[in-house]
């Protein structure tokens, strides 16, 4: 029996998501989520969570000991400048991922634990790390560098890394397919709008700019993250507000964005409240959309010529209101959304631009797990 299945593990700080995929036909054989790790009512730690994943798979007759399992693919958030492509995990690779913890203190430790536990369970299996930053490694220096003292930047690894790379890679390629083109033939802007949100500019299949930076805090307005702010806001909060570093970190990452503006971080609730005339919800929506438009304009200029704007993730795939507002009045840039096509609810990749639109507008459901599984399978087969 040949080994054609890949287990994808996404070990977050308080949850582990998994999918088991059959790579001959991309069928999802199993998927699940272990939540509230280390919290009341949850499992104790990541080792326990991985044991539960293993038990769930065994109960479904798809145990980790199966000879059909070809490899395990791990999502790893930060690859720094070390990792620019999916990488077969060895002890040396794991040590380098550990060395990157200062760049992603909230994310990389959980990813590492997931890798260690999976390796202990199946030491004979190839295990592959797929990095959230890797797709952005091609961003030229002019876009990746912050205009700060070079020695300081180099000493502390301060530059734009970008995140959600697996999604931007998958969606930009799928969008080219939807247009009947090769990725190398099109320039696209991908708007990944989930609870976290990021934009990227992809020229001929190669990422040339993205909105997230050293950390996932920069760029678009998100569910609970501020996105772009004047960095001097931080000093002001320290000097005038008497807040310390951790308080400001929590404020900007967990209590800002849509939540900070109106008390809700779910776009569905914001839509309902707007319909009831709630002014704070309306303002949150307006700030969110304004930031999106800024990035669409900026990345159009970065690309020079634009073939498609592509929406993905929870908000991008589901909110016709956000899509319409983000691109309204951009016919001067050749971007015209068709209101009827935009209103159609569907889980398939689709075009929502008007016939008259020079630039295509698309909705493409993202599939980070499939992308990780493909990368993993390709490496495992050598
Ligand atoms: P994700 O991180 O990709 O899972 O996206 C999660 C976010 O998608 C949620 O916080 C919601 O704000 C948003 N979302 C999900 N479904 C809808 C919907 N039907 N309409 C608007 N927003 C949605």
């Amino acid at each position: 029996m040949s080994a054609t299945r890949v287990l994808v593990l996404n070990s977050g700080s308080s949850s582990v998501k998994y999918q088991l995929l059959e790579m001959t036909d991309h069928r999802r054989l199993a998927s699940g989520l272990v939540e509230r790790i280390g919290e009341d009512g949850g499992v104790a730690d990541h080792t326990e969570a991985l044991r539960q994943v293993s038990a769930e798979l065994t109960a479904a007759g798809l145990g980790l000991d199966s000879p059909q399992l070809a490899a395990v693919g791990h999502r790893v958030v930060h690859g720094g400048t070390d990792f620019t492509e999916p990488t077969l995990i060895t002890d040396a690779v794991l040590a380098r991922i550990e060395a990157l913890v200062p760049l992603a203190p909230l994310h990389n430790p959980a990813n590492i634990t997931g890798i260690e536990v999976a390796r202990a369970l199946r030491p004979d299996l190839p295990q592959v790390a797929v990095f959230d930053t890797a797709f952005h490694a091609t961003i030229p220096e002019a876009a990746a560098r912050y205009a700060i003292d070079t020695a300081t930047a180099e000493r502390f690894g301060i530059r734009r890394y970008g995140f959600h790379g697996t999604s931007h890679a998958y969606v930009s390629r799928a969008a080219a397919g939807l247009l009947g083109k090769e990725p190398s033939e099109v320039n696209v802007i991908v708007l990944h709008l989930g609870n976290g949100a990021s934009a990227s500019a992809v020229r001929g299949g190669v990422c040339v700019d993205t909105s997230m930076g050293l950390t996932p805090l920069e760029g678009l307005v998100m569910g609970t993250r501020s996105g772009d702010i004047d960095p001097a806001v931080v000093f002001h909060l320290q000097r005038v507000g008497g807040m310390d570093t951790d308080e400001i970190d929590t404020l900007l990452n967990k209590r800002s964005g849509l939540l900070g503006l109106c008390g809700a971080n779910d776009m569905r609730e914001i839509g309902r409240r707007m319909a009831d005339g709630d002014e704070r919800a309306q303002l949150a929506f307006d700030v969110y959309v304004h930031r999106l438009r800024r990035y669409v304009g900026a990345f159009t200029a970065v690309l020079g010529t634009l073939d498609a704007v592509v929406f993905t993730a929870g908000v991008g795939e589901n909110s016709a209101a956000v899509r319409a507002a983000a691109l309204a009045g951009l016919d001067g840039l050749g971007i015209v959304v068709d209101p009827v096509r935009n209103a159609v609810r569907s889980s398939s990749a689709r075009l929502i631009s008007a016939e008259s639109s020079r630039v295509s507008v698309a909705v493409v459901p993202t599939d980070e797990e499939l992308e990780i599984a493909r990368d993993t399978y390709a490496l495992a087969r050598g």
Side-chain angles (χ1 to χ4, degrees), residues 14 32 53 65 77 113 155 173 179 197 220 240-241 278 289 302 318-319 323 375 379:
S14 67
V53 170
D65 53 357
V77 168
T113 311
R155 179 164 170 219
R173 215 176 44 236
L179 300 181
L220 300 176
V240 180
D278 183 326
V289 163
V302 166
N318 294 298
S319 176
R323 295 191 299 254
D375 287 342
L379 259 189

Side-chain angles (χ1 to χ4, degrees), residues 17 192-196 223 258 265-269 312-320 322 345 366 368:
K17 285 187 232 163
H192 176 110
L193 311 178
N195 203 17
L258 294 169
N265 65 335
D266 191 314
M267 198 53 88
R268 287 164 288 201
E269 184 179 342
T312 194
V315 176
E317 291 168 28
N318 294 298
S319 176
V322 165
R345 294 196 59 82
T366 193
E368 289 164 280

Side-chain angles (χ1 to χ4, degrees), residues 36-354:
R36 296 200 304 278
I37 298 172
E39 294 171 21
D40 284 351
V43 297
D45 53 25
H46 282 81
T47 308
E48 210 37 59
L50 268 280
R51 284 221 187 88
Q52 189 170 322
V53 170
S54 174
E56 286 178 18
L57 287 169
T58 303
L62 300 161
L64 273 177
D65 53 357
S66 160
Q68 284 163 282
L69 192 58
V72 182
H74 297 268
R75 172 177 183 234
V76 179
V77 168
H78 217 308
T81 47
D82 290 32
F83 296 104
T84 57
E85 47 189 45
T87 305
L88 205 55
I89 297 168
T90 61
D91 291 343
V93 166
L94 199 51
R96 279 159 68 202
I97 297 173
E98 256 159 38
L100 293 167
V101 165
L103 284 174
L106 300 178
H107 296 104
N108 273 28
N111 305 154
I112 290 165
T113 311
I115 292 170
E116 286 172 341
V117 176
R119 285 179 99 203
L121 286 170
R122 277 297 301 271
D124 58 311
L125 268 192
Q127 312 243 349
V128 174
V130 180
F131 299 91
D132 245 27
T133 46
F135 183 63
H136 305 300
T138 49
I139 293 175
E141 286 296 283
R145 288 289 293 273
Y146 295 109
I148 65 168
D149 171 66
T150 300
T152 307
E154 286 176 354
R155 179 164 170 219
F156 297 108
I158 295 171
R159 58 185 287 115
R160 179 179 311 289
Y161 294 99
F163 299 88
H164 292 145
T166 309
S167 177
H168 287 286
Y170 175 88
V171 168
S172 57
R173 215 176 44 236
L178 191 65
L179 300 181
K181 299 266 174 78
E182 291 297 320
S184 61
E185 296 174 314
V186 290
N187 292 351
V188 304
I189 294 173
V190 177
L191 302 171
H192 176 110
L193 311 178
N195 203 17
S198 63
S200 68
V202 184
R203 175 183 290 135
V206 176
C207 186
V208 294
D209 208 348
T210 196
S211 59
M212 284 179 167
L214 174 78
T215 77
L217 184 55
E218 194 181 346
L220 300 176
V221 176
M222 312 182 207
T224 66
R225 294 188 199 123
S226 62
D228 295 335
I229 56 163
D230 179 346
V233 168
V234 175
F235 319 139
H236 189 80
L237 290 172
Q238 283 170 329
R239 292 192 186 117
V240 180
M243 294 173 74
D244 67 24
T245 307
D246 286 343
E247 285 173 316
I248 299 171
D249 192 328
T250 303
L251 173 78
L252 297 180
N253 275 294
K254 304 243 166 81
R255 296 200 288 121
S256 295
L258 294 169
L259 181 71
L261 284 165
C262 76
N265 65 335
D266 191 314
M267 198 53 88
R268 287 164 288 201
E269 184 179 342
I270 290 170
R272 284 192 290 272
R273 282 172 45 181
M274 281 162 61
D276 292 340
D278 183 326
E279 286 175 15
R280 282 175 69 211
Q282 183 66 54
L283 178 64
F285 182 88
D286 292 347
V287 173
Y288 184 95
V289 163
H290 179 78
R291 188 77 52 82
L292 264 175
R293 296 166 66 80
R294 272 183 128 181
Y295 272 91
V296 169
F299 284 0
T300 301
V302 166
L303 290 169
T305 54
L306 178 64
D307 298 292
V309 178
V310 194
F311 290 90
T312 194
V315 176
E317 291 168 28
N318 294 298
S319 176
V322 165
R323 295 191 299 254
L327 302 181
L330 297 189
D331 29 327
L333 296 177
I335 303 171
V336 185
V337 172
D338 181 289
V340 176
R341 288 179 182 166
N342 186 34
V344 173
R345 294 196 59 82
S346 160
S347 57
S348 307
R350 58 202 185 272
L351 287 173
I352 59 166
S353 36

Side-chain angles (χ1 to χ4, degrees), residues 10-17 33-37 46 49 110:
N10 182 350
S11 307
S13 53
S14 67
S15 70
V16 173
K17 285 187 232 163
L33 167 71
V34 182
E35 284 180 295
R36 296 200 304 278
I37 298 172
H46 282 81

